[in-house]
Amino acid sequence: MIILSLIYLLLSNSVTLRRDKSILYSRTTITILLISVLISYDNLYFLFLNKGIGVYGGLFHTTSTTNVFHIFVLLISSIILLLTSFYPRKVWIKQYSSLDRLLFSRLIYYQTIILNKMGEQFKIIEYSLIILFIVTGALFLISTSDLVSIFLSIELQSYGLYLLSTIYRDSEPATSSGLMYFLLGGLSSCFILLSTSLLYANSGTTNLDSLYIITSITNVNKDDLTGLLYWYKSYYIHISLLFMSIGFLFKVSAAPFHFWSPDVYDGIPTIVTTFVAIVAKISIFIFLLELVHYTSKSMFDVDFSWTMSLLFSSLLSLVIGTIVGLTQSRIKRLFAFSTISHVGFILLALSIHSVESTQAFMFYIMQYSISNLNAFMLIIIIGYSLYCYVYHYPPIEEINEKKNKYDNLKDINNSPIQLIDQLKGYYYINPFLSLSLAITLFSFAGIPPLLGFFGKQMILSAAIDNGYIFMSLVAILTSVISAVYYLVIIKQIFFDKPDYIINNDLRGFRADGLITEKKVIVEKFNIKLNNIVVSSSLSLPISIITFIISLFIFIPQEWLSVANILALTLFNI
């Protein structure tokens, strides 16, 4: 379904002359992704019965685990595309908001300025096409079963991400960040390619199933297998997999390979950051889950295991993501270090590798992805909601420092909210969006009874049960310390006075609108600033995700059951 849609989108992009058709392409892409979700959901029962199926000589295999995360990636991508599928603002008139009025009445007015029709994101027709390429690469990577398809999938996903980062051609920060992402992404791909060549040289096969068999034999037999493997050592494959893990840890911005992440997140437009920060990581972690499951050393083998690198990276990610995040003043750089800290939790669950930790791993990825999605969407929408406000400079003694700080914001049109200080007093402007952002940040910090608390609690429980006491202590301490920078944001939103005033040019804003029924003018209406609100296409998904985060304690069974069943299926229990 997705590949067929890619062909049609390529053809339509090549013949269109109007770049403002981008919004229609995004809506078409959402439809494509939702149909793909239905197809994947329809196959779930068959996969549970047959424990998976492989095609193309093992290049592609799908199981119940991979299919569930196919559905998850498709749903997340479709929600992200809502940002470019509808205009961010609308006119809302209370007396014309009843159901019968919405169905039979229509408001006609000059829409260009009010709705932000001239936004840069609505002029890029290639945006949805590139996203489909990335989603295709992500789905292939989740379901790969061969060294060849691993490299092809990760490169298909990565090339799309490089293009997406630089798609805003007139943005200097986006271009420089995209170039940095491309160069360091190419370096990480070199490690993955080196590891695939070493694995082929050591095993004589590119098929992962054969590699898993060889690994299990060499792990069970420390020295040799009745003299046939006297020349072969189990750490040959483990060293090769170590190089592969370095390449993938680069891609997910885990410490100590995280240094590109804050600069790239901050430089590219926030709409693009939302996609780069979430979808790229899900596919890699699910692939690593299967790789760890079949190649981690047995409990009787005292030789080196490549999964120790994941544990070491987890420790560094927890510490660096927390400590360095305390010094940040830019909101997306802070989210980048927050992501590094959360990647530490995910890698901890991955390296433990038990049924309980695998369940926690899957649950944590799902809950963190939707929380991260909500946080980035809120940052974007807060920027849209401030279009009629300007920054009010303080008294003369502070004016130079503040003025320079706000006047030097780069790429303000594509990323309106860049500094944490820009959120100061936002509660007095829009209390509902402020409350939603506060709930999401509390979930990041692991405050009960929000969704993030249960994810951290499950991972810490699995770590303690399996004897990882030191790592558990580090995770608890860093989680407590990281709450500081989340609370700083919340303090500025709720307890500081806003530095914004209504733009003088819009202070007396009035626009004429016509209420029509059956193409007949019923009434003339004067549109004022308080009639302009955030579009339902953005406020509705944010409301739903916020309710899921805050009310998870009342509906925990479905999510926990899915994670539990997938973990048990993976371990054949």
Side-chain angles (χ1 to χ4, degrees), residues 391 393-394 398-408:
Y391 181 73
Y393 293 111
E398 303 174 28
I399 195 168
N400 290 332
E401 179 188 350
K402 289 281 187 180
K403 189 174 176 62
N404 290 336
K405 190 174 186 180
Y406 281 90
D407 286 350
N408 292 331

Side-chain angles (χ1 to χ4, degrees), residues 86-100:
F86 299 93
Y87 297 118
R89 294 185 288 266
K90 68 175 182 180
V91 172
W92 179 77
I93 304 170
K94 186 176 181 179
Q95 58 267 37
Y96 288 97
S97 297
S98 60
L99 185 59
D100 60 327

Side-chain angles (χ1 to χ4, degrees), residues 14 95 101 164 195 210 232 253 256 259 261 276 307 324 341 357 373 380 396 433 440 451 471 478 530 536 550 561:
S14 63
Q95 58 267 37
R101 289 285 193 174
L164 201 64
S195 69
S210 304
Y232 193 81
S253 67
F259 40 83
S261 173
V276 172
T307 54
V324 184
S341 177
S357 69
L373 172 61
I380 293 168
I396 192 69
L433 288 180
T440 306
L451 187 58
M471 286 299 299
T478 53
N530 57 1
S536 302
S550 56
S561 296

Side-chain angles (χ1 to χ4, degrees), residues 148-262:
V148 175
S149 56
I150 288 172
F151 189 72
L152 292 177
S153 302
I154 193 64
E155 289 309 291
L156 177 61
Q157 174 179 293
S158 299
Y159 287 160
L161 291 170
Y162 305 150
L163 290 173
L164 201 64
S165 300
T166 56
I167 199 168
Y168 286 72
R169 301 185 183 97
D170 298 329
S171 170
E172 183 182 340
T175 305
S176 61
S177 298
L179 182 61
M180 178 193 296
Y181 191 18
F182 168 68
L183 293 173
L184 294 175
L187 176 63
S188 64
S189 297
C190 289
F191 279 102
I192 296 172
L193 196 58
L194 173 63
S195 69
T196 56
S197 61
L198 289 174
L199 285 170
Y200 179 69
N202 285 323
S203 63
T205 179
T206 61
N207 192 282
L208 288 183
D209 290 336
S210 304
L211 185 68
Y212 299 154
I213 293 170
I214 294 171
T215 308
S216 62
I217 290 173
T218 53
N219 277 341
V220 170
N221 299 273
K222 283 177 59 179
D223 298 321
D224 57 29
L225 181 63
T226 61
L228 293 177
L229 295 178
Y230 68 94
W231 51 272
Y232 193 81
K233 303 296 182 185
S234 61
Y235 58 78
Y236 290 171
I237 286 181
H238 284 293
I239 290 174
S240 305
L241 290 171
L242 175 63
F243 283 109
M244 181 174 285
S245 70
I246 291 172
F248 281 115
L249 290 174
F250 251 111
K251 301 283 187 186
V252 297
S253 67
F257 313 108
H258 64 284
F259 40 83
W260 61 269
S261 173

Side-chain angles (χ1 to χ4, degrees), residues 113-148:
I113 297 176
I114 295 175
L115 300 189
N116 191 33
K117 277 193 168 185
M118 304 307 292
E120 184 73 18
Q121 68 271 29
F122 302 121
K123 300 177 185 177
I124 304 173
I125 59 173
E126 302 89 357
Y127 180 77
S128 53
L129 180 67
I130 293 172
I131 280 185
L132 273 186
F133 273 110
I134 298 170
V135 169
T136 306
L139 300 188
F140 283 160
L141 182 61
I142 290 172
S143 295
T144 188
S145 187
D146 196 278
L147 294 176
V148 175

Side-chain angles (χ1 to χ4, degrees), residues 342-356:
H342 287 279
V343 163
F345 274 95
I346 294 171
L347 290 174
L348 175 60
L350 192 62
S351 55
I352 294 170
H353 188 58
S354 64
V355 177
E356 185 184 2

